[in-house]
Amino acid sequence: MSWCTIESDPGVFTELIQQMQVKGVQVEELYSLDLDSLNDLRPVYGLIFLFKWRPGEKDERTVIKEPVPNLFFASQVINNACATQAILSILLNSPSIDVGPELTMLKDFTRNFPPELKGLAINNSEAIRTAHNSFARPEPFVSDEQHKADKDDDVYHFISYIPVDGVLYELDGLKEGPVNLGPCTGGPGDIDWLRQVQPVIQARIDQYSQTEIRFNLLAVIKNRREIYTQTLKDLQKKRETLLQQVTSQNGEIINKQLAEVSNEIEMVTERIIMEEEKFKKWKVENVRRKHNYIPFLFNFLKVLAEKKQLKPLIEKAKQKSNR
């Protein structure tokens, strides 16, 4: 069974991750590489960079061909699956993420496999393939033959950046192994690795900027609703504690602190509502992506033809296009 092409979108990737039974994770799109934007999203488990792949382009950097302890690296052996593989490269290299039973079993089963066999294991995972292909766009005609890109087609590729055991890695399934980008302190919750990866991604963008402007950068982060909900609970407890401490002697000081906490509670509550609205929007968009509109369009055109309205509309459209 083939793998479909899926859209590079945070709502798509977040639902894809959820369908693979991963908990407490979402994907956000980045529109800037400035440290403030990256810092606001912490903890950041990894970054996914989408760029236009150029055949024949050489990369002189050294790749690690020997196995790296605690690093999951799989070769890409599947057409159209580089987006899902980039996501898996982050999920399976982040011990603090609950990746669920399916991915846990995959990681344990392939622990001592070379990259090629890891890639084949991903290809043979029914759960991963089903989650991936759930975003396939309905097609009126389905062919068993996969279209192979030619020189005139735009081909895009996804790669991952992630800190593992004090080292920053670039993981590209089309390479023989990971690329060591140097030592980095801290983990997903720290700004250090983001500060280090920032110029690496910027350099890649600058490399293509003369001929290409289509890039996409996404961050795999901790679920924001969960973070804000926990923050809200902590603030509510703090408010209860302050209320219990109010006396006639410290009333003015405590009331000032209570006002500050109440403002923080209001801000966090607004953020939770915004996250809930965003997830609702993503859900609607994904339903529309997956819905098959072809039967509706077919019957709509059929009704227009029966009412003898289709031909006049076609002629009118032709007249407009010829102006």
Side-chain angles (χ1 to χ4, degrees):
M1 183 179 178
S2 62
W3 295 59
C4 70
T5 302
I6 62 175
E7 185 178 347
S8 176
D9 178 84
V12 170
F13 287 177
T14 297
E15 185 174 324
L16 173 61
I17 289 171
Q18 290 172 343
Q19 288 190 19
M20 291 190 289
Q21 303 178 55
V22 178
K23 297 178 181 178
V25 175
Q26 71 184 70
V27 178
E28 285 292 333
E29 187 167 8
L30 285 167
Y31 299 98
S32 171
L33 268 174
D34 67 88
L35 282 176
D36 289 338
S37 299
L38 294 170
N39 190 46
D40 289 342
L41 293 175
R42 289 191 296 147
V44 179
Y45 299 113
L47 297 175
I48 299 171
F49 183 60
L50 166 70
F51 62 98
K52 185 176 178 180
W53 181 73
R54 299 192 294 201
E57 186 174 62
K58 293 183 179 180
D59 187 345
E60 302 298 334
R61 296 176 301 172
T62 303
V63 300
I64 305 170
K65 297 182 181 180
E66 297 299 320
V68 179
N70 302 323
L71 181 68
F72 180 93
F73 176 80
S75 297
Q76 184 181 327
V77 299
I78 319 158
N79 289 333
N80 300 328
C82 58
T84 295
Q85 187 147 334
I87 294 171
L88 290 173
S89 292
I90 294 173
L91 298 177
L92 297 177
N93 283 303
S94 301
S96 58
I97 296 178
D98 180 358
V99 296
E102 186 68 31
L103 295 188
T104 298
M105 184 172 63
L106 173 72
K107 185 176 181 179
D108 291 341
F109 177 68
T110 62
R111 188 173 302 277
N112 297 317
F113 285 13
E116 295 81 7
L117 289 182
K118 282 187 170 78
L120 287 172
I122 292 172
N123 181 44
N124 291 329
S125 171
E126 185 68 28
I128 296 174
R129 185 170 60 239
T130 299
H132 177 99
N133 284 341
S134 69
F135 291 94
R137 293 184 179 276
E139 299 289 348
F141 306 104
V142 180
S143 172
D144 291 333
E145 296 183 2
Q146 284 190 319
H147 169 71
K148 291 186 177 181
D150 57 37
K151 62 180 181 179
D152 296 322
D153 288 334
D154 287 338
V155 179
Y156 293 89
H157 185 52
F158 295 82
I159 58 177
S160 304
Y161 295 93
I162 186 169
V164 177
D165 293 343
V167 178
L168 177 62
Y169 291 102
E170 177 184 296
L171 304 182
D172 180 350
L174 295 181
K175 296 186 184 303
E176 293 183 73
V179 177
N180 184 330
L181 298 174
C184 68
T185 57
D190 300 296
I191 192 68
D192 294 341
W193 88 269
L194 296 171
R195 186 180 289 111
Q196 185 170 341
V197 78
Q198 180 195 38
V200 175
I201 298 175
Q202 187 61 57
R204 186 178 279 271
I205 292 174
D206 294 341
Q207 179 184 351
Y208 300 120
S209 60
Q210 298 295 325
T211 57
E212 183 61 45
I213 61 171
R214 289 167 291 182
F215 303 101
N216 195 206
L217 183 63
L218 301 116
V220 179
I221 63 175
K222 188 170 183 179
N223 185 283
R224 309 310 286 175
R225 287 182 298 181
E226 293 182 7
I227 293 176
Y228 297 146
T229 300
Q230 184 57 53
T231 302
L232 180 61
K233 290 179 181 178
D234 294 340
L235 288 169
Q236 289 171 337
K237 287 181 181 179
K238 185 177 180 180
R239 182 173 61 181
E240 291 173 6
T241 302
L242 288 171
L243 287 171
Q244 294 171 1
Q245 295 174 352
V246 176
T247 64
S248 57
Q249 288 80 19
N250 65 7
E252 185 176 346
I253 297 173
I254 296 296
N255 285 332
K256 184 179 179 181
Q257 293 176 346
L258 280 169
E260 292 174 354
V261 171
S262 295
N263 287 335
E264 290 180 28
I265 288 175
E266 186 177 344
M267 290 174 57
V268 172
T269 302
E270 288 178 0
R271 289 179 178 178
I272 292 173
I273 293 172
M274 289 174 62
E275 286 297 312
E276 290 174 345
E277 291 299 320
K278 179 170 64 181
F279 270 72
K280 287 178 183 177
K281 179 186 174 185
W282 284 350
K283 186 175 182 179
V284 170
E285 290 175 347
N286 287 338
V287 168
R288 289 173 177 168
R289 283 185 178 98
K290 299 176 182 182
H291 184 71
N292 186 359
Y293 291 95
I294 294 169
F296 163 74
L297 294 172
F298 178 81
N299 284 288
F300 180 63
L301 293 173
K302 184 178 178 182
V303 170
L304 288 176
E306 289 173 350
K307 293 184 176 181
K308 303 188 183 302
Q309 296 177 3
L310 182 59
K311 190 173 181 179
L313 288 172
I314 293 174
E315 294 299 325
K316 188 176 180 181
K318 286 181 178 179
Q319 292 172 8
K320 283 185 178 181
S321 64
N322 292 330
R323 287 177 184 174

